[in-house]
Amino acid sequence: MLRGHLTAAMAFAAMLAASSARAEEPITLRAMGSFHVGGRLVELTGKPVKEMALTPGGVPARFDPNGTYQVEQMYVQYFLPAREVGTVPILFWHGGGMTGVNFETTPDGREGWLNMFVRKGWGVYVSDAVERGRASWAQYPDIFKGEPLFLTTSNPFTRFRIGDGPDSYDPDPARRRLLPGSQFPNDGYENFVKQIVPRWTTTDDATLAAYLAEIDRVCPCVILFHSQAGQFGFKAAQARPGKVKALVAVEPAGVGDPAKVDALKGIPTLMIYGDFIAEDARWPKIRASGVAFAEAIRGAGGHVDVVDLPAIGIKGNSHMMMMDRNNAEVAGVIEAWLAKNGLTRAP
């Protein structure tokens, strides 16, 4: 439970919604930019040399794949507002098969959490994790072991709690069966699946190493992480407890090291879950694992708030709540919680 602060959270969410008219006002930044962080050098040998023409009718060039490669780096883009309200920046970490674009905008063209939090005075760092988007790729199975996993267009429709049961997806938006009251923007679903990138299941250690490199460069900070990044957010905080001021776990699909929960006792943590979980085949167990980890942190003397959005009157949220039509309300709950935990500056 949110320990008696639901009223404050809802009031803040209402205030955020009331300020939506300002969404078109210019965002004033003191700095923005990007960088790559982390990674390592790998030597490959024994590969055949090729000659290839890179353009039709072009002169063939010799390509020797033997040599040193830079791999397993991560891409980070940052936006720092001119007037900062947050005492530290927020790092946005995306889920599996996704990139930082999850937070940049919504599939139907509304503002995403990146803009919302920057507009409210938070410095934001949004990343493409190892193997995703602008972080680049590496040879497989030589460096990335195994093969990448690709998703069909229909897969996320049910797996992310958008569609109402198997076979609920249809190429025609009008014929799709959405969960009753779903807040996901059905008319933007095709734009959503365009964001999906291949993912490996063998790069977790490299991904965590890159996130730690980002923390070492940027933090102290808040980490807001989603889905697959659950394990990375908690494990990174366990490895760098002095640099992480708060954790916001948005439907974490994994947790940290149970043997190291003591490292989290000084880091206030919010776990936030959307709607339709009880009816899903997988999410009751995933949520139960997250709640059990929260109890372990509390048992070590830590502070964790677990918020089920329907319980505080915010209903219809999918797994991709940062994209849902009520994403501003959800952002308001998160900002209220951050303020409650002393992470905003006095006016």
Side-chain angles (χ1 to χ4, degrees):
M1 294 299 296
L2 195 52
R3 302 185 182 183
H5 293 276
L6 301 185
T7 302
M10 292 300 292
F12 196 95
M15 182 181 72
L16 188 70
S19 68
S20 61
R22 299 201 306 264
E24 298 303 318
E25 292 181 7
I27 296 176
T28 305
L29 302 176
R30 66 175 175 84
M32 65 176 290
S34 63
F35 55 87
H36 283 81
V37 68
R40 63 189 178 102
L41 298 176
V42 176
E43 190 82 14
L44 292 185
T45 60
K47 298 289 185 180
V49 178
K50 300 179 181 179
E51 284 207 357
M52 303 176 58
L54 300 182
T55 58
V59 178
R62 183 175 183 271
F63 287 91
D64 184 352
N66 301 289
T68 303
Y69 291 85
Q70 173 68 52
V71 301
E72 297 176 352
Q73 61 277 357
M74 184 173 73
Y75 172 83
V76 182
Q77 191 172 25
Y78 60 88
F79 303 84
L80 306 179
R83 185 182 65 84
E84 292 196 69
V85 170
T87 58
V88 294
I90 304 177
L91 313 187
F92 283 178
W93 293 359
H94 60 75
M98 301 291 170
T99 69
V101 74
N102 282 181
F103 300 105
E104 293 175 8
T105 186
T106 66
D108 56 342
R110 291 171 293 109
E111 280 201 320
W113 281 2
L114 190 160
N115 278 27
M116 289 180 185
F117 278 83
V118 172
R119 198 179 290 283
K120 298 297 289 186
W122 292 88
V124 170
Y125 289 73
V126 60
S127 54
D128 293 354
V130 172
E131 84 188 35
R132 323 291 172 84
R134 286 173 286 185
S136 191
W137 288 265
Q139 291 92 329
Y140 65 92
D142 307 84
I143 298 170
F144 290 168
K145 304 304 179 186
E147 295 182 348
L149 175 67
F150 294 82
L151 296 183
T152 64
T153 299
S154 62
N155 179 285
F157 197 72
T158 51
R159 194 159 63 87
F160 291 169
R161 306 197 316 276
I162 301 168
D164 190 2
D167 302 319
S168 56
Y169 173 78
D170 192 280
D172 181 356
R175 299 182 62 180
R176 294 172 192 158
R177 300 195 316 272
L178 277 74
L179 285 162
S182 173
Q183 290 282 353
F184 189 86
N186 180 43
D187 55 343
Y189 183 76
E190 279 67 32
N191 287 331
F192 167 56
V193 295
K194 289 175 184 178
Q195 301 178 18
I196 296 173
V197 297
R199 64 171 286 189
W200 277 257
T201 60
T202 57
T203 57
D204 286 1
D205 290 345
T207 301
L208 179 58
Y211 278 138
L212 290 174
E214 182 189 16
I215 289 173
D216 289 340
R217 176 166 175 163
V218 171
C219 295
C221 58
V222 172
I223 307 177
L224 185 154
F225 48 90
H226 177 239
S227 196
Q228 184 211 13
Q231 62 158 322
F232 303 131
F234 286 118
K235 288 179 180 178
Q238 288 173 322
R240 302 288 192 273
K243 295 187 175 184
V244 179
K245 300 306 178 184
L247 295 172
V248 179
V250 180
E251 293 208 349
V255 296
D257 185 346
K260 299 178 180 179
V261 290
D262 279 359
L264 302 174
K265 65 183 179 182
I267 305 174
T269 298
L270 171 64
M271 287 188 185
I272 188 165
Y273 294 93
D275 212 335
F276 314 117
I277 285 178
E279 299 88 351
D280 192 79
R282 300 169 61 248
W283 270 97
K285 184 175 181 180
I286 297 172
R287 181 188 176 283
S289 296
V291 172
F293 191 68
E295 288 298 333
I297 298 172
R298 290 172 183 151
H303 176 90
V304 185
D305 290 317
V306 178
V307 175
D308 293 292
L309 292 175
I312 61 171
I314 301 177
K315 299 181 179 181
N317 285 103
S318 71
H319 182 52
M320 306 303 296
M321 63 181 70
M322 73 290 294
M323 301 179 180
D324 288 339
R325 290 192 300 269
N326 62 353
N327 64 341
E329 278 191 274
V330 181
V333 172
I334 294 170
E335 287 192 274
W337 182 87
L338 291 170
K340 175 174 76 78
N341 283 279
L343 290 158
T344 54
R345 305 178 195 277

